[in-house]
Amino acid sequence: MSENSEILVHVKDVEKVFRRGSEEIHVLAGLDLEVPIGEFLALMGPSGSGKTTLLNLIGGLDRPTRGSVVIQGERIDQLSDRRLAGWRARHVGLVFQLYNLLPVLTAERNVDLPLLLTNLSKADRRKHVETALSVVGLSHRAKHFPRQLSGGEQQRVGIARAIVTDPTLLLCDEPTGDLDRKAGDEILDLLQALNREHGKTIVMVTHDPHASARATRTVHLTKGQLSSEAIA
Amino acid sequence: MTNPLNWFSQVVAVTGFSLQTIVNRKGSSAATVIGIAGVVAVLVGVLSIAKGFRKAMTVSGSPNTAIVMRSGADSEMMSGLSRDETRVIADAPGVARASGGPAASAELFVIIDLPKRSTGTDANVPLRGVEPAAFDVRRELKVVAGRKFEPGKNEIIIGQGAAIEFAGLDLGKTIRVGQNDWAIVGVFTANGGISESEIWTDAAVLQPAYRRGDTYQSVYARLTSPEAFDAFKNALTTDPRLNVKVLRQADYYADQSTLVYNLITGLGTLVAGLMGLGALFGALNTMYTAVSSRTREIATLRALGFRAGPVVISVILESIVLAILGGMIGSVGAYLAFDGYRAATINFQSFSQVAFAFEVGPALLIQGMVYAALIGVIGGLFPAIRAARLPIATALREL
Ligand SMILES: Nc1ncnc2c1ncn2[C@@H]1O[C@H](COP(=O)(O)OP(=O)(O)O)[C@@H](O)[C@H]1O
Ligand SMILES: [Mg+2]
């Protein structure tokens, strides 16, 4: 990683506190993170350490209690809900542990979902969907419903949906957490290819060292702070 | 970037997914549909009673026909006119000419007791004595079986509504009322109007039978045109020999039906309102269930960048679709069950039975659908707001 590579994600002195009744849960405490363009970052840490919370802040799904989240020079934590929704649609691709596909839609219509938020013509949308499905190697499954697909295939549909708008940033929350080793490896191959060949910037939450080994950098979250080394 | 078209297409898309997931929630959705169908059926059914009753009371009111009673009388029952007075009325300006003289009929009116066919309990049935011109005044009246009564004889003709409702009213039979036997020689219709609930005979026969001397209670007159009414009324009310009130027949009947109409409408609305409240909670429950069973799905859409507005609209639309479906089933059911169903009830204002048919018309069906849609809107609103308010990050954690 070169010193002067352009920073895409800039998380500055972020604190996140959840309130459950009278109880306060301090999850992130003065956390800083920079992610340069083109990086494949693995975010590790024990369960409940706040990995998903941090990913949600970067993806504009939640706001920090204090501090700022700047992406491509834009303070997304200060956008209105409306504008933030539009920002997500344009800049973020999300990959979930449990795929979060709509069960009533076929693979291709699931992939088409984010394109409904663009002004693309029907023909253009179709082209984008075909491309995305071919990138994840599922062109032959386009007409299948999620329940007709294996877990690994469903996750590939999820990845196709995340990349179909060609987003600035790909955020994956334990993308292999629900898959066996073989299917998980295929997903990691795919993410690695997206990073290397398509130049996608990826932040991936995982607690599997086997998965983090594929990343270009790994950071560990403990006690609300990040460190480069795992604390045993 | 975010133009209205885009917002609209989000609504269409999200609503499409919602409707497709209804099959996964068949049970609670069906319960709502059936609940709303029941409410709408009851509402339409009860209002069709009021509608049919009012129609029976007003359909016969030709704009050409006027009714004259003693001033101060609220109904024919309380009115009284002498032979001389009825002659003056028949000769007034504006009265049309019939073959045998003016188209005016002096009439009297008694109430007799007859058992209802359905329950066997006694009910008040009007027995009306008319003059020959009565058939020329009420031209909608048609003898559909048998013949007219002959003047001077103890013969009666019966309205079709009365024939259906009351025991003993069969063509060719004789009924005994008080000291007299009356032969039933004919059955008549009157466009479904109030006259069909009555029994008719010759006024000259009825007077001695009920010791009425030479008095009457009303005069029915056919005028040369609807516009002739004002002159007719003016002439009678300013005539020093008379002390009468003059009404258009339609107005008189409409007025006579207000009490029962309002009562039935009021009761019906109350019952339908209470049931509607029940159906509303059913719809609320269904939509809360729908929303919570789709929490993660809705959160996923919002995470992808769909806005909260379209989600709210889609939940409400789904609720409306279910409600309209229920409304349609209820309306069609009410139509099949009630339209044309015949019944008779007492009209408190005339103390006599009115036979009528329930009437489920287009206006009532629309009213039922609007009511259903209203339940749908309210039933979807609160769950929709909840779906939109739930923070995405929180909703995504739910399985
Ligand atoms: N929306 C929320 N409301 C309340 N507490 C939350 C919420 N989201 C996360 N938490 C809490 O914050 C902590 C971190 O959660 P999370 O970020 O999901 O951890 P991880 O992904 O590392 O397992 C946990 O204790 C969790 O219970
Ligand atoms: Mg997590």
Side-chain angles (χ1 to χ4, degrees), chain A residues 86-122:
Chain A
W87 179 85
R88 282 197 301 272
R90 272 171 285 125
H91 294 291
V92 182
L94 294 168
V95 178
F96 303 90
Q97 178 176 356
L98 298 175
Y99 332 126
N100 289 26
L101 302 177
L102 264 60
V104 293
L105 301 183
T106 58
E108 62 182 2
R109 290 197 57 206
N110 265 292
V111 176
D112 189 36
L113 274 177
L115 297 178
L116 296 175
L117 301 169
T118 67
N119 290 328
L120 291 178
S121 70
K122 211 166 184 161

Coordinates of all heavy atoms in Angstrom, one line a residue, chain A residues 86-122:
Chain A
G86 N -30.6 7.9 -1.5 CA -30.1 8.0 -2.9 C -28.6 7.8 -3.0 O -28.1 7.2 -3.9
W87 N -27.9 8.2 -2.0 CA -26.4 8.1 -1.9 C -26.1 6.6 -1.9 O -25.2 6.1 -2.6 CB -25.8 8.8 -0.7 CG -24.3 8.6 -0.6 CD1 -23.4 9.4 -1.3 CD2 -23.6 7.6 0.1 NE1 -22.1 8.9 -1.0 CE2 -22.2 7.8 -0.1 CE3 -24.0 6.5 0.9 CZ2 -21.3 7.0 0.4 CZ3 -23.1 5.7 1.5 CH2 -21.7 5.9 1.2
R88 N -26.8 5.8 -1.0 CA -26.5 4.4 -1.0 C -26.8 3.7 -2.3 O -26.0 2.9 -2.8 CB -27.5 3.7 0.1 CG -27.1 3.9 1.5 CD -27.8 2.9 2.4 NE -29.3 3.0 2.3 CZ -30.0 3.8 3.1 NH1 -29.4 4.6 4.0 NH2 -31.3 3.9 2.9
A89 N -27.9 4.1 -3.0 CA -28.2 3.5 -4.2 C -27.1 3.7 -5.3 O -26.8 2.8 -6.1 CB -29.5 4.0 -4.7
R90 N -26.4 4.8 -5.2 CA -25.4 5.2 -6.2 C -24.0 4.7 -5.9 O -23.3 4.3 -6.7 CB -25.4 6.7 -6.4 CG -26.4 7.1 -7.5 CD -26.5 8.6 -7.6 NE -27.3 9.1 -6.4 CZ -26.8 10.0 -5.6 NH1 -25.7 10.6 -5.7 NH2 -27.6 10.4 -4.6
H91 N -23.7 4.6 -4.6 CA -22.3 4.4 -4.2 C -22.0 3.1 -3.5 O -20.8 2.7 -3.4 CB -21.8 5.6 -3.3 CG -21.8 6.9 -4.0 ND1 -20.9 7.1 -5.1 CD2 -22.6 8.0 -3.9 CE1 -21.1 8.3 -5.5 NE2 -22.1 8.9 -4.9
V92 N -23.0 2.4 -3.0 CA -22.7 1.2 -2.1 C -23.3 0.0 -2.7 O -24.5 0.0 -3.1 CB -23.2 1.5 -0.7 CG1 -22.8 0.3 0.2 CG2 -22.6 2.7 -0.1
G93 N -22.5 -1.1 -2.7 CA -23.1 -2.4 -2.9 C -23.0 -3.2 -1.6 O -22.0 -3.3 -1.0
L94 N -24.1 -3.8 -1.2 CA -24.2 -4.5 0.0 C -24.3 -6.0 -0.2 O -25.1 -6.5 -1.0 CB -25.4 -4.0 0.9 CG -25.4 -2.6 1.3 CD1 -26.7 -2.2 1.9 CD2 -24.3 -2.4 2.4
V95 N -23.5 -6.8 0.6 CA -23.6 -8.2 0.5 C -23.8 -8.7 2.0 O -23.1 -8.3 2.9 CB -22.3 -8.9 -0.1 CG1 -22.4 -10.4 0.0 CG2 -22.0 -8.4 -1.5
F96 N -24.9 -9.5 2.2 CA -25.3 -9.9 3.5 C -24.9 -11.3 3.8 O -24.8 -12.2 2.9 CB -26.8 -9.7 3.7 CG -27.3 -8.3 3.4 CD1 -27.7 -8.0 2.1 CD2 -27.4 -7.4 4.4 CE1 -28.2 -6.7 1.8 CE2 -27.9 -6.1 4.1 CZ -28.3 -5.8 2.9
Q97 N -24.8 -11.6 5.1 CA -24.4 -13.0 5.5 C -25.6 -14.0 5.0 O -25.3 -15.1 4.5 CB -24.3 -13.1 7.0 CG -24.0 -14.5 7.5 CD -23.7 -14.6 8.9 OE1 -23.7 -13.6 9.6 NE2 -23.5 -15.8 9.5
L98 N -26.8 -13.5 5.2 CA -27.9 -14.4 4.8 C -28.5 -14.0 3.4 O -29.7 -14.2 3.2 CB -29.0 -14.4 5.9 CG -28.5 -14.9 7.2 CD1 -29.5 -14.8 8.3 CD2 -28.1 -16.4 7.1
Y99 N -27.7 -13.4 2.6 CA -28.0 -13.0 1.2 C -29.1 -12.0 1.0 O -29.1 -11.1 0.2 CB -28.4 -14.3 0.4 CG -27.8 -15.6 0.9 CD1 -28.6 -16.7 1.2 CD2 -26.4 -15.6 1.1 CE1 -28.0 -17.8 1.6 CE2 -25.8 -16.8 1.6 CZ -26.6 -17.9 1.8 OH -26.1 -19.0 2.3
N100 N -30.2 -12.0 1.9 CA -31.3 -11.1 1.8 C -31.9 -10.9 0.4 O -32.1 -9.8 0.0 CB -30.8 -9.7 2.4 CG -30.6 -9.8 3.9 OD1 -30.4 -10.8 4.4 ND2 -30.8 -8.6 4.5
L101 N -32.1 -12.0 -0.2 CA -32.8 -11.9 -1.5 C -34.3 -11.9 -1.3 O -34.8 -12.4 -0.3 CB -32.4 -13.1 -2.4 CG -30.9 -13.3 -2.7 CD1 -30.7 -14.6 -3.5 CD2 -30.3 -12.1 -3.4
L102 N -35.0 -11.3 -2.2 CA -36.5 -11.3 -2.1 C -37.0 -12.7 -2.7 O -36.8 -12.9 -3.9 CB -37.1 -10.1 -2.9 CG -37.4 -8.9 -2.1 CD1 -36.2 -8.4 -1.4 CD2 -38.1 -7.9 -2.9
P103 N -37.6 -13.5 -1.8 CA -38.0 -14.8 -2.2 C -39.0 -14.9 -3.4 O -39.0 -15.9 -4.1 CB -38.6 -15.4 -1.0 CG -38.9 -14.3 -0.1 CD -38.0 -13.2 -0.4
V104 N -39.7 -13.8 -3.6 CA -40.8 -13.9 -4.6 C -40.2 -13.5 -6.0 O -40.9 -13.6 -7.0 CB -42.0 -12.9 -4.3 CG1 -42.7 -13.4 -3.1 CG2 -41.5 -11.5 -4.1
L105 N -38.9 -13.1 -6.0 CA -38.3 -12.6 -7.3 C -37.3 -13.6 -7.8 O -36.6 -14.2 -7.0 CB -37.7 -11.3 -7.1 CG -38.6 -10.1 -6.7 CD1 -37.8 -8.8 -6.7 CD2 -39.8 -10.0 -7.6
T106 N -37.2 -13.8 -9.1 CA -36.2 -14.6 -9.7 C -34.8 -14.0 -9.5 O -34.7 -12.8 -9.1 CB -36.4 -14.8 -11.2 OG1 -36.4 -13.5 -11.8 CG2 -37.7 -15.5 -11.5
A107 N -33.8 -14.8 -9.8 CA -32.4 -14.2 -9.6 C -32.2 -12.9 -10.4 O -31.7 -11.9 -9.9 CB -31.4 -15.3 -10.1
E108 N -32.7 -12.9 -11.6 CA -32.4 -11.7 -12.4 C -33.2 -10.5 -11.9 O -32.8 -9.4 -12.0 CB -32.7 -12.0 -13.9 CG -34.1 -12.4 -14.3 CD -34.3 -12.6 -15.8 OE1 -33.3 -12.6 -16.5 OE2 -35.5 -12.9 -16.2
R109 N -34.4 -10.8 -11.4 CA -35.2 -9.7 -10.9 C -34.6 -9.2 -9.6 O -34.7 -8.0 -9.3 CB -36.7 -10.0 -10.8 CG -37.3 -10.2 -12.2 CD -38.8 -10.1 -12.1 NE -39.3 -8.9 -11.5 CZ -40.5 -8.8 -10.9 NH1 -41.3 -9.8 -10.8 NH2 -40.9 -7.6 -10.4
N110 N -34.1 -10.1 -8.8 CA -33.4 -9.6 -7.6 C -32.2 -8.7 -8.0 O -32.0 -7.7 -7.3 CB -32.9 -10.8 -6.8 CG -33.8 -11.2 -5.7 OD1 -34.0 -10.5 -4.7 ND2 -34.5 -12.4 -5.8
V111 N -31.5 -9.1 -9.0 CA -30.3 -8.3 -9.4 C -30.7 -7.0 -10.0 O -30.1 -6.0 -9.9 CB -29.5 -9.1 -10.4 CG1 -28.3 -8.3 -11.0 CG2 -28.9 -10.4 -9.8
D112 N -31.9 -7.0 -10.6 CA -32.5 -5.8 -11.2 C -32.9 -4.7 -10.2 O -33.0 -3.5 -10.5 CB -33.7 -6.2 -12.1 CG -34.2 -5.1 -13.0 OD1 -33.3 -4.3 -13.4 OD2 -35.4 -5.0 -13.2
L113 N -33.2 -5.2 -8.9 CA -33.7 -4.3 -7.9 C -33.0 -2.9 -7.8 O -33.7 -1.9 -7.9 CB -33.7 -5.0 -6.5 CG -34.9 -5.8 -6.2 CD1 -34.6 -6.5 -4.8 CD2 -36.1 -5.0 -6.1
P114 N -31.7 -2.9 -7.6 CA -31.0 -1.6 -7.4 C -31.1 -0.7 -8.7 O -31.1 0.5 -8.6 CB -29.6 -1.9 -7.2 CG -29.6 -3.4 -6.8 CD -30.7 -4.0 -7.5
L115 N -31.3 -1.4 -9.9 CA -31.4 -0.6 -11.1 C -32.8 0.1 -11.2 O -32.9 1.1 -12.0 CB -31.2 -1.5 -12.3 CG -29.9 -2.2 -12.4 CD1 -29.8 -3.1 -13.6 CD2 -28.8 -1.1 -12.5
L116 N -33.8 -0.3 -10.4 CA -35.1 0.4 -10.4 C -34.9 1.8 -9.9 O -35.8 2.6 -10.1 CB -36.1 -0.4 -9.6 CG -36.5 -1.8 -10.1 CD1 -37.4 -2.5 -9.1 CD2 -37.2 -1.7 -11.4
L117 N -33.8 2.0 -9.2 CA -33.6 3.3 -8.6 C -32.8 4.2 -9.5 O -32.5 5.4 -9.1 CB -32.9 3.2 -7.2 CG -33.6 2.3 -6.2 CD1 -32.8 2.0 -5.0 CD2 -34.9 3.0 -5.8
T118 N -32.5 3.7 -10.7 CA -31.7 4.6 -11.6 C -32.7 5.0 -12.7 O -33.8 4.6 -12.8 CB -30.6 3.7 -12.3 OG1 -31.1 2.7 -13.1 CG2 -29.7 3.1 -11.2
N119 N -32.2 5.8 -13.6 CA -33.0 6.2 -14.8 C -32.7 5.4 -16.0 O -33.0 5.8 -17.1 CB -32.8 7.7 -15.0 CG -33.4 8.6 -13.9 OD1 -34.4 8.1 -13.3 ND2 -32.8 9.7 -13.6
L120 N -32.1 4.3 -15.9 CA -31.7 3.5 -17.0 C -33.0 2.9 -17.7 O -34.0 2.7 -17.1 CB -30.9 2.3 -16.6 CG -29.5 2.6 -16.1 CD1 -28.8 1.3 -15.6 CD2 -28.7 3.2 -17.2
S121 N -32.9 2.8 -19.0 CA -34.0 2.2 -19.8 C -34.0 0.7 -19.5 O -33.1 0.1 -19.0 CB -33.7 2.4 -21.3 OG -32.7 1.6 -21.7
K122 N -35.2 0.1 -19.9 CA -35.4 -1.3 -19.6 C -34.3 -2.1 -20.3 O -33.7 -3.1 -19.7 CB -36.8 -1.7 -20.1 CG -37.3 -2.8 -19.3 CD -38.8 -3.0 -19.6 CE -39.3 -4.1 -18.6 NZ -40.8 -4.1 -18.4

